[in-house]
Amino acid sequence: MRIKKPLTFAIAMANVAVVSAWAQEDSQQDDDWALEEVTVTATKRETNLMETPVAISAFTQEELDRQGIKNIKDLGNTIPNVDIGYDASQSSPVISMRGVRSTNTSELGDPAVGLHFDGIYSARPQSAMAMMFDSERVEAMRGPQGTLYGRNSTVGAINVISKKPVIDEFEGNVGVEYGSWDREMVRGVINIPVSDTFALRVSAMSETRDSYLTGYYDANQYDNRYFSADSLGATPLANDAERTFIQSNNWWTSEDVSLVKADPEDFYGNVDQQAIRIGALWEPTEDISWYTVVEHYQDQSAGGINTIDCEKAAKRTDGTTCETYYGPGADEYTVAVNVPGKLDLTMDAFRSNFRWDFSDSMAFVYNAGYAVQNRSNLIDADAGRNSWDMSMSITDAENVSYSHELQLQSTDDGPLEWITGLFYFHESNDLNGYFLASLDNAVFWRQPERNVDALGAFAQTTYSLTDTLHLTFGTRYTYDEKSDEGGNNLSCRRDWSLDTEATGEYGCFPAYIHPTFSELPSDYFADDSIYSIDTYNDVDDNWENVDYRLGVDYDLTDDIMLYAYFATGFKSGGLGDVVYKYAQDPETAEDILDADGNRVVEQTFKTNYDEETVDTWEFGAKGSFLDGRLNLAGTFFFSKYKDMQLAAPDVAYTFLVREVDDAGELTGEITSEPAVIYRTKNAAHSEIKGFEFEFDWAPYPNGHISGFATWMQTEITSDFVNRWNYNNPSLFEITDWAAAHDDSNPELYRNLKGNELPVSPEYSFTINYDHTFELAHGGAIIPFISVHWEDESYLTFWNVDKHDFPVGDTSAFDDSRDSFWMINASIKYVSPDDQWNVEAYGYNLTDEVIPYYAEGSDALVSGPFSTPANYGVRFNYNF
């Protein structure tokens, strides 16, 4: 199988080479269709894309629309060595670039790819969900960008640049779109020249869409506080009826009822988002320009949810399939819940770009940003995959951030080009939320003040030794300080000291021993007063580092550039929750108290983690050929990471509990349960190497071919011994969950040395083609097709099938992803005066089912999947 993949790759590249040769011969006949020059700002100043010694991809708004890209999450298949998944629990995209990503998308983690809007750093990955509309372009820079872009740019950065107002022209456009699952979108732009020096630009967008999931509400699950069987209209099942997993295992009721189809308009996976942006541009003189933006975004959908990988489930030897869990016909897009999804995500931002060319040779730039993000959500965490009946809610979370950057930069044409600057960033998080297992316990997070303060000073200079040879040196000093003040982890478990029969009291956590559990309000567990404090998370730490970049570029000809550089990268460490293990009586499982009646702390766990650093060597070439009709760019890169940050759920310790029977009565047995936390660890060392080839070609008048091809290999290169934490009960054939995660059992440990990094396919390619058919009356028809292929890869760093387990065959439980194709196409009609156009489109035409993340639990693999095949039409009118 692995022989065919390089062969496919080679055939694709051979086709490009053959067509290129044909085009070179044909170029002698006509040279009037050169490609447009693309301007980028990767070096903090405007440069030609093909003259910028950085691996960078750029997209205009028209290109984004054609590919159906509405936010950064949709960019995945359009950028070399980039994969973008989704964390439903945090309503956040997970961006991977060149095999590097961060799956800790909570307030504890930092992204691996720096996100910027109009050149201003954005703190939380949730900001990537904001709708991209009325954009000048999107730039994706690969390789360490820490010298100029600073925070969390060890592997690259993405910059979304909005369209500035046009001072001397009144213009606007309006667009509507309708597609699959009742998708409706409306957007509009109006540009108003207020005076000769001042203009406003207002742009807005609204999008709604039903869910593409086959969703059910299931009143058979234990927690029915959000609805009842009667309110759903559920009917009793016949004794011989097909039963779901929950219906077959719900010992808490004697009567099963039918699942009820959910309304897709407000079910998990739907879309309900709006955004508005107001931009102002003031240019009082030729030397002064001040651009400000106010932006509001809101998402009031039901959020996302992980579903079962049915292809893997079908490989289980016990006959279990997706139909076992959800009934006949169930697939990756089927799910049954008893907790309706809710998401309320709002983002308000202010950005300011001020530039003053105060002399013939220097300019002053001041960039400032302020953003407030508020989020609350509710998600069914188990979705009927186990009997614990789990849900999670961020009851309220507020993130406030602001930044200031001062720059001085050269503007003359001398041999020395330089830029220097100072940077300050502050972020404050206030978060409350809980995790509930209705048949076990509940925990609450109260983090009122998690702060980040970052300082930076940077300088970069390029000196032209000759007209064709240029040297670049850059450096950046970074100081990061993080603190958690007043934070607590709280727990809500049954108080066994209470005599429930005599007093009628049931302690903090009622669950199935509580006769009126179903009558509790749905927000009962959102009240932190019902919990007791387990830990105090007051902790702080700081990190500092000096990064540098040394590069050389050489103009081989006027149209061909060679470049090489060495760069370091730094991502600061982070804080984790402080975790206490309390002393318990092994005979009764009760907490041991001191003389003052306080619980005795047996062990304290600090889960902070260290910084991540990287050294990268990159060698590249860029060239424009065939009189500007063919642009080629190739980059070889090699990166060595030290203490790479990898995140996953982990068991901090186990605690004793008293066993009860199905009726909630004590059995007299003492067992243990795990305290699960989500934590980031530092791997030892890893290496990444690869080659990226990009092309943009106009082979003949009105024809256009573009795309990329990549080769990449990743590996953890030093010992990284971990207690396993992925589908443990199934892989180790240990039925007791706590025993399957016992840190003291050496049989549960594996050395991850030699593992590949997540979503790191060895080969991939994308080819885009469009042709403009000019009509006799002046209009045009433009068909477009995009084909993407990607090699097999792993979705986590566990690489299950590289290790031996008692279960033997791991294919039903592993984290591998098969190779896949993705095909998008459209056909567009443009009116003779370009005043209006209409376009019909289809995405994922072959209806590929592609997993973007793998969570291994409950003897299953689950995660988010690609959007099924979908179609639509859009209309735009310009005025």
Side-chain angles (χ1 to χ4, degrees):
M1 184 175 180
R2 296 206 55 86
I3 296 177
K4 295 180 181 178
K5 292 168 184 174
L7 181 60
T8 303
F9 183 87
I11 291 172
M13 292 302 96
N15 288 338
V16 171
V18 169
V19 181
S20 177
W22 167 79
Q24 186 149 3
E25 178 180 346
D26 186 66
S27 69
Q28 308 299 323
Q29 303 173 21
D30 194 338
D31 56 1
D32 294 334
W33 62 91
L35 296 167
E36 292 185 10
E37 183 177 300
V38 178
T39 299
V40 295
T41 55
T43 58
K44 297 278 188 176
R45 61 180 78 234
E46 292 187 350
T47 57
N48 185 334
L49 172 68
M50 299 306 296
E51 297 174 358
T52 305
V54 174
I56 179 173
S57 303
F59 306 91
T60 65
Q61 184 65 58
E62 182 180 4
E63 291 170 325
L64 297 174
D65 290 343
R66 188 167 57 184
Q67 294 272 28
I69 296 170
K70 300 298 184 294
N71 52 44
I72 289 177
K73 183 174 69 72
D74 300 329
L75 279 172
N77 298 333
T78 62
I79 306 171
N81 285 324
V82 169
D83 184 279
I84 302 179
Y86 185 73
D87 180 354
S89 67
Q90 296 292 332
S91 309
S92 170
V94 179
I95 304 174
S96 172
M97 186 177 284
R98 291 181 173 177
V100 181
R101 71 179 184 185
S102 172
T103 54
N104 189 345
T105 57
S106 71
E107 83 288 353
L108 288 171
D110 287 314
V113 178
L115 295 178
H116 301 258
F117 293 87
D118 293 319
I120 295 170
Y121 178 71
S122 181
R124 293 292 97 208
Q126 286 84 3
S127 62
M129 298 303 295
M131 303 170 75
M132 292 194 303
F133 61 102
D134 198 29
S135 301
E136 184 68 33
R137 64 186 176 277
V138 175
E139 300 177 4
M141 296 155 280
R142 303 181 298 283
Q145 305 297 321
T147 304
L148 292 180
Y149 283 86
R151 300 199 80 243
N152 306 322
S153 301
T154 55
V155 70
I158 295 176
N159 189 15
V160 181
I161 303 166
S162 59
K163 279 190 178 179
K164 294 181 178 180
V166 180
I167 287 180
D168 58 357
E169 185 176 352
F170 177 86
E171 64 177 12
N173 63 74
V174 63
V176 295
E177 186 171 332
Y178 183 81
S180 300
W181 310 296
D182 283 335
R183 180 171 181 266
E184 297 177 354
M185 188 179 69
V186 179
R187 62 181 177 182
V189 177
I190 186 167
N191 187 95
I192 306 171
V194 179
S195 71
D196 293 340
T197 61
F198 183 71
L200 292 172
R201 189 177 185 93
V202 181
S203 50
M205 177 183 282
S206 176
E207 180 186 19
T208 59
R209 192 207 67 203
D210 290 353
S211 174
Y212 51 75
L213 297 175
T214 302
Y216 297 94
Y217 290 121
D218 183 6
N220 300 281
Q221 299 184 40
Y222 184 80
D223 189 349
N224 275 255
R225 292 174 301 125
Y226 298 93
F227 50 72
S228 66
D230 291 338
S231 67
L232 291 174
T235 57
L237 289 180
N239 290 333
D240 58 350
E242 293 277 357
R243 275 171 165 72
T244 66
F245 174 83
I246 292 296
Q247 290 165 342
S248 300
N249 291 273
N250 60 346
W251 49 262
W252 51 85
T253 181
S254 59
E255 183 179 81
D256 295 335
V257 295
S258 62
L259 273 60
V260 176
K261 186 75 177 293
D263 184 350
E265 184 177 352
D266 57 7
F267 192 72
Y268 292 96
N270 72 331
V271 174
D272 185 359
Q273 56 182 349
Q274 300 81 36
I276 184 170
R277 179 191 306 131
I278 302 174
L281 177 63
W282 183 47
E283 295 181 343
T285 71
E286 293 183 356
D287 302 324
I288 295 178
S289 175
W290 189 8
Y291 175 48
T292 58
V293 171
V294 176
E295 194 170 71
H296 172 77
Y297 168 78
Q298 184 159 18
D299 184 342
Q300 293 183 304
S301 67
I305 193 168
N306 290 344
T307 56
I308 299 174
D309 188 324
C310 297
E311 183 177 343
K312 292 188 185 299
K315 297 177 181 179
R316 285 175 49 168
T317 57
D318 60 0
T320 297
T321 67
C322 277
E323 294 187 343
T324 306
Y325 285 85
Y326 300 133
D331 60 15
E332 283 84 354
Y333 301 101
T334 306
V335 66
V337 302
N338 64 324
V339 178
K342 294 181 180 180
L343 174 63
D344 188 357
L345 173 64
T346 62
M347 291 181 280
D348 295 285
F350 169 79
R351 299 188 291 273
S352 171
N353 306 118
F354 176 81
R355 180 185 177 94
W356 177 27
D357 290 81
F358 61 89
S359 77
D360 292 337
S361 59
M362 285 189 291
F364 168 75
V365 176
Y366 172 39
N367 292 329
Y370 178 84
V372 179
Q373 175 183 292
N374 287 282
R375 173 168 59 100
S376 62
N377 73 333
L378 177 66
I379 183 173
D380 191 316
D382 68 281
R385 295 188 292 269
N386 64 49
S387 300
W388 292 106
D389 204 356
M390 301 182 295
S391 60
M392 194 192 88
S393 174
I394 303 297
T395 57
D396 60 271
E398 181 179 68
N399 171 273
V400 178
S401 64
Y402 53 84
S403 65
H404 303 273
E405 184 176 271
L406 303 175
Q407 300 175 15
L408 278 178
Q409 56 182 256
S410 63
T411 59
D412 58 7
D413 296 326
L416 183 65
E417 184 180 272
W418 55 268
I419 181 174
T420 185
L422 298 172
F423 174 80
Y424 173 71
F425 170 80
H426 173 81
E427 177 186 3
S428 178
N429 289 280
D430 179 359
L431 179 143
N432 296 279
Y434 66 85
F435 178 86
L436 168 66
S438 297
L439 293 177
D440 187 17
N441 61 16
V443 293
F444 193 92
W445 313 287
R446 183 170 59 201
Q447 311 295 346
E449 196 169 346
R450 271 191 167 145
N451 297 327
V452 178
D453 287 282
L455 296 170
F458 63 92
Q460 184 161 301
T461 181
T462 298
Y463 183 72
S464 299
L465 296 174
T466 69
D467 290 341
T468 58
L469 183 62
H470 319 281
L471 293 180
T472 296
F473 176 75
T475 186
R476 187 183 191 102
Y477 168 78
T478 298
Y479 176 83
D480 277 12
E481 183 175 276
K482 299 181 180 181
S483 63
D484 189 347
E485 301 175 19
N488 303 115
N489 289 348
L490 304 94
S491 63
C492 187
R493 300 188 180 94
R494 180 177 179 181
D495 186 351
W496 295 106
S497 66
L498 297 174
D499 183 343
T500 59
E501 292 186 7
T503 67
E505 297 183 65
Y506 299 90
C508 172
F509 191 77
Y512 48 85
I513 65 169
H514 199 303
T516 60
F517 178 82
S518 61
E519 298 175 11
L520 295 174
S522 59
D523 61 351
Y524 179 82
F525 294 100
D527 178 9
D528 63 356
S529 69
I530 69 172
Y531 298 81
S532 58
I533 294 176
D534 270 348
T535 67
Y536 294 88
N537 291 334
D538 292 272
V539 62
D540 63 81
D541 210 339
N542 62 78
W543 301 263
E544 60 181 338
N545 187 71
V546 176
D547 280 323
Y548 59 93
R549 182 185 188 96
L550 181 63
V552 58
D553 56 279
Y554 176 66
D555 299 323
L556 189 63
T557 70
D558 290 342
D559 299 315
I560 301 175
M561 175 185 69
L562 307 177
Y563 67 92
Y565 71 79
F566 169 77
T568 64
F570 163 80
K571 182 181 175 186
S572 67
L575 306 179
D577 290 336
V578 178
V579 181
Y580 300 153
K581 179 179 181 181
Y582 290 97
Q584 292 178 282
D585 185 325
E587 300 296 328
T588 65
E590 293 182 358
D591 291 332
I592 297 175
L593 307 180
D594 60 19
D596 296 325
N598 298 316
R599 289 184 294 175
V600 175
V601 176
E602 180 179 294
Q603 197 171 359
T604 300
F605 301 87
K606 289 189 176 181
T607 58
N608 292 3
Y609 52 94
D610 295 328
E611 69 270 17
E612 168 186 284
T613 59
V614 60
D615 295 336
T616 294
W617 292 260
E618 191 159 314
F619 306 90
K622 293 185 177 184
S624 183
F625 305 93
L626 309 181
D627 296 323
R629 297 193 298 276
L630 175 65
N631 290 339
L632 299 177
T635 304
F636 173 80
F637 58 90
F638 176 70
S639 295
K640 297 186 70 171
Y641 276 82
K642 181 180 179 181
D643 296 327
M644 175 176 278
Q645 297 168 3
L646 300 174
D650 198 10
V651 175
Y653 61 90
T654 57
F655 56 90
L656 302 177
V657 295
R658 302 172 73 178
E659 277 289 294
V660 294
D661 59 23
D662 291 349
E665 300 297 326
L666 293 172
T667 65
E669 296 183 18
I670 302 294
T671 60
S672 61
E673 288 189 5
V676 181
I677 60 173
Y678 196 86
R679 66 181 299 188
T680 298
K681 294 182 178 180
N682 294 98
H685 300 285
S686 60
E687 293 183 357
I688 304 169
K689 58 185 175 182
F691 180 75
E692 297 165 347
F693 172 68
E694 295 180 272
F695 57 92
D696 192 9
W697 179 30
Y700 56 86
N702 299 339
H704 186 211
I705 301 174
S706 63
F708 63 81
T710 69
W711 166 78
M712 182 170 64
Q713 291 184 342
T714 67
E715 183 181 6
I716 297 176
T717 55
S718 60
D719 290 332
F720 184 39
V721 179
N722 263 264
R723 197 263 301 136
W724 196 265
N725 196 34
Y726 184 93
N727 257 330
N728 287 30
S730 300
L731 294 172
F732 292 99
E733 297 185 323
I734 301 175
T735 55
D736 181 75
W737 203 96
H741 296 82
D742 181 4
D743 283 347
S744 66
N745 184 355
E747 299 299 321
L748 301 182
Y749 284 77
R750 296 292 185 272
N751 191 345
L752 304 188
K753 180 180 179 180
N755 278 18
E756 298 176 24
L757 297 176
V759 285
S760 303
E762 187 170 4
Y763 297 98
S764 71
F765 70 80
T766 289
I767 297 178
N768 307 310
Y769 171 74
D770 66 77
H771 177 86
T772 301
F773 292 94
E774 296 180 348
L775 305 179
H777 67 283
I781 295 177
I782 309 172
F784 166 81
I785 188 169
S786 176
V787 178
H788 175 80
W789 177 84
E790 197 165 302
D791 205 351
E792 62 189 8
S793 62
Y794 293 99
L795 291 171
T796 76
F797 59 78
W798 295 108
N799 292 198
V800 175
D801 61 12
K802 288 182 181 289
H803 304 272
D804 293 326
F805 296 94
V807 74
D809 182 8
T810 63
S811 59
F813 314 109
D814 70 21
D815 56 344
S816 64
R817 177 170 72 179
D818 292 337
S819 61
F820 66 87
W821 294 87
M822 179 66 72
I823 301 176
N824 301 326
S826 68
I827 183 167
K828 182 177 183 179
Y829 172 77
V830 180
S831 68
D833 53 4
D834 199 21
Q835 189 170 35
W836 61 272
N837 62 76
V838 61
E839 183 174 21
Y841 61 82
Y843 301 132
N844 190 10
L845 292 178
T846 55
D847 205 18
E848 297 290 315
V849 180
I850 306 163
Y852 289 114
Y853 184 69
E855 178 184 295
S857 61
D858 305 318
L860 296 166
V861 176
S862 59
F865 289 83
S866 55
T867 304
N870 61 101
Y871 311 89
V873 61
R874 62 175 66 98
F875 173 83
N876 291 284
Y877 181 81
N878 303 312
F879 57 89

